[in-house]
Amino acid sequence: MNAHRKESARSPGAAMPAVCVAAGLALVLAAQGCHSSATHGAPAPASQHAAAGGAASAIPARAAATFPADWRFAAGKPATIAAHAMIASNSELASEAGVEVLRKGGNAVDAAVAVGFALAVTLPEAGNIGGGGFMVIRMADGRSAAFDYREVAPLAATATMYAHSDGTTGTESVVGPLAVGVPGAVAGLAAASKTFGRLPLREVMAPAIRLARDGFVADSAFSLSVAHARGRIAPYAGASVFLPYGEAPAPGTRFTQPALARTLALIASDGPDAFYHGPIADAIAEEMRNDGGIITREDLARYTAVRRVPLASTYRGYTLYTMPPPSSGGVTIIEALNILETYPSLPPFGTAAYAHELTDAFQRAFIDRNGKLGDPAFVEVPVARLTGKPYAHEVRSTMADHAQPTSRLATTVPEGSQTTHYSVVDADGNAVATTTTLNDLYGSGVFVRGAGFFLNDEMDDFAAHPGLPNQFGLVEGPQNAIAPGKRMLSSMAPTIVLDPGGQLFLVTGGRGGPRIITSTAEVILNTIDYHMDLADALAAPRIHHQAIPDQLRYERNGLTQAVRDSLAAMGYTLGEGQATGTCAAVMRVPGGYAGAVDPRATGGAAGY
Ligand code: DON
């Protein structure tokens, strides 16, 4: 269907500097039980970008990646390469839906909107119209925008709505009707389409409507996802669609969603009003009444997506466009990268020094994230200070050559997985990074009967139980307290990176709660500092620190025993697992674009 081809972005004839860097790393790391991907292919030469997408600029050489010997993913796997345009998402069918729209004459924003609606059909665990998200856009002509279609707390919500009178806490912020925030996805996708798209919504939504009406063949990932979420889905109206005879759709069977097809067709013909003022609003409000929720017609009628100015920052000469609050993702990534930029260069990948420098940068940035960020319409958020270079130097001056406990560093003491990212680049070099979420897999479990979609459980992203960790272990402060109409803080971090010549370099982001932030930052570091090609940058082992719990999390076999011993000796508490999110990305390469999805996740890239 698509003319994209799977092949390595590497080609023979490595540029000297890249070879020297790679050889240097290999020597350093050999002593620590690591192997490199040098045998999988030589790094690509530095070359001029000849494909569509504006003026040429140098593409830095990629170096062979070096992973620990027991690491689960081999280095040197190919990305998907195409000459003109590329889309990477957690559903190959959705990526192809985007390519279909590009081929019809749509631009990257049309394609991103098409992917967003298609994901609501083919990846219902996370893709959605009953949730919300963020879209960062950077057009080839230099315009940029960030669409914020994060959910908001219902008008009847209160800061203490999840507190039980006997002092205990329950699961109401995560499961069931009280967990639902007012959905923003339809408003946001429609706003982006109207402002930057070329094609009418009707054409952009056609592939999603077709996938819902005619169905798609369930693969084992889809079947397993539904089966694992049985407990979440079964109590609500979605059971008749997703667990028809009490079982998940078997792999190989065709899965159709006629009610969702009708809902999408209504949005395509009548626009977002159908969702916020028309029959779909009626269906949501009725579902809420039936199930004991508090979202009303008025909540839906009042919802608006917000166009914001993306945060822009630099890192070693590269320019980043990323999501401002109510996302914490952009601020936290920028703060961490600014701290890391105070080092003239980073230590060899995977070493104890590497883990120490990244961990401390993440720990400090998360301390600020957890205590200082919230919805800027409700609270004062010190974005300029936290993302400024002077602040990074201030923070750096208080860092040591050993671990420092969060409890001693946090000056603001706080009171007290499911999401999907996709990246799109079109033949003109327009780029879109989008992350959208229901929070948990299948959100709150609540399903709008007749309209065919799940509703999110985003209320848990507020400091729903002040002073206590949320489902991601995050402990946040009063900045993120619940208030009617307020947007809950998010970690989603869709990000677009330009190279030092101002040309598009990387479009990325991910899923995984707070680990979105560290995973996205590490993909950026892997491509900029470690010169990895895209597939290696996504496959590389990750580490994570979110201040509380005060632990350096690592992936199994992602740090060698010698490195772990060194880190323990430096005073770190190490924890295996819960160290990573999953990312999807598009990168400019000689002759076009590479697209890849995290090997830890489902999905695929498609281009032409
Ligand atoms: O907005 C947020 O930060 C969360 N709702 C994201 C949740 C998530 O990534 C779960 N996926 N694994």
Side-chain angles (χ1 to χ4, degrees), residues 150 369 417-419 437-440 458 461 472 489-492 510-514 516:
R150 185 70 164 160
R369 178 214 178 274
S417 302
Q418 202 67 24
T419 304
T437 184
L438 287 170
N439 204 16
D440 272 294
E458 222 65 63
D461 274 349
F472 299 112
L489 191 62
S490 171
S491 295
M492 294 185 287
R511 72 199 267 176
I516 292 171

Side-chain angles (χ1 to χ4, degrees), residues 114-394:
V115 173
F117 282 114
L119 285 167
V121 180
T122 61
L123 192 77
E125 65 175 37
N128 65 79
I129 56 173
F134 301 132
M135 181 182 286
V136 173
I137 297 172
R138 205 264 174 185
M139 303 299 277
D141 62 12
R143 287 177 297 155
S144 64
F147 285 92
D148 164 2
Y149 43 101
R150 185 70 164 160
E151 300 89 332
V152 300
L155 294 167
T158 67
T160 54
M161 64 187 276
Y162 300 113
H164 295 182
S165 52
D166 63 359
T168 59
T169 55
T171 57
E172 299 88 346
S173 67
V174 181
V175 193
L178 289 176
V180 184
V182 183
V186 172
L189 292 174
S193 160
K194 192 170 169 193
T195 318
F196 285 95
R198 273 190 210 137
L199 301 179
L201 210 48
R202 166 173 50 76
E203 278 190 61
V204 167
M205 293 182 67
I209 296 169
R210 193 181 62 231
L211 284 162
R213 188 193 56 222
D214 301 346
F216 59 90
V217 177
D219 61 12
S220 55
F222 175 74
S223 184
L224 278 173
S225 163
V226 174
H228 282 147
R230 179 195 305 275
R232 180 70 51 121
I233 296 170
Y236 303 101
S240 63
V241 179
F242 286 85
L243 302 164
Y245 303 100
E247 295 299 327
T253 57
R254 182 161 287 274
F255 181 67
T256 58
Q257 298 170 82
L260 181 58
R262 286 193 298 275
T263 295
L264 293 173
L266 206 55
I267 296 167
S269 62
D270 296 1
D273 276 0
F275 193 95
Y276 293 98
H277 301 275
I280 308 167
D282 288 335
I284 296 171
E286 194 188 328
E287 191 65 55
M288 285 283 121
R289 276 196 303 275
N290 286 339
D291 295 339
I294 56 173
I295 294 178
T296 62
R297 280 288 309 244
E298 191 186 350
D299 281 301
L300 291 156
R302 283 194 186 204
Y303 186 85
T304 48
V306 180
R307 180 176 168 178
R308 301 186 187 276
V309 178
L311 294 179
S313 183
T314 58
Y315 177 70
R316 299 194 198 281
Y318 290 73
T319 303
L320 271 73
Y321 292 97
T322 186
M323 195 67 207
S327 172
S328 67
V331 172
T332 314
I333 286 177
I334 290 174
E335 183 179 335
L337 293 186
N338 282 348
I339 294 169
L340 291 171
E341 199 184 39
T342 64
Y343 300 93
S345 63
L346 295 185
F349 184 83
T351 57
Y354 159 91
H356 164 60
E357 288 180 16
L358 264 67
T359 299
D360 286 14
F362 291 148
Q363 178 193 32
R364 299 307 183 97
F366 264 92
I367 287 171
D368 289 330
R369 178 214 178 274
N370 297 345
K372 298 187 177 127
L373 302 183
D375 181 349
F378 284 75
V379 293
E380 205 60 49
V381 185
V383 174
R385 174 163 161 76
L386 297 181
T387 59
K389 303 283 184 194
Y391 183 64
H393 285 278
E394 228 175 89

Side-chain angles (χ1 to χ4, degrees), residues 548-570:
I548 301 172
D550 194 351
Q551 281 181 335
L552 190 177
R553 311 284 321 181
Y554 65 94
E555 294 186 271
R556 174 186 285 262
N557 296 329
L559 295 175
T560 64
Q561 185 62 52
V563 166
R564 299 203 303 268
D565 291 346
S566 301
L567 290 164
M570 290 159 87

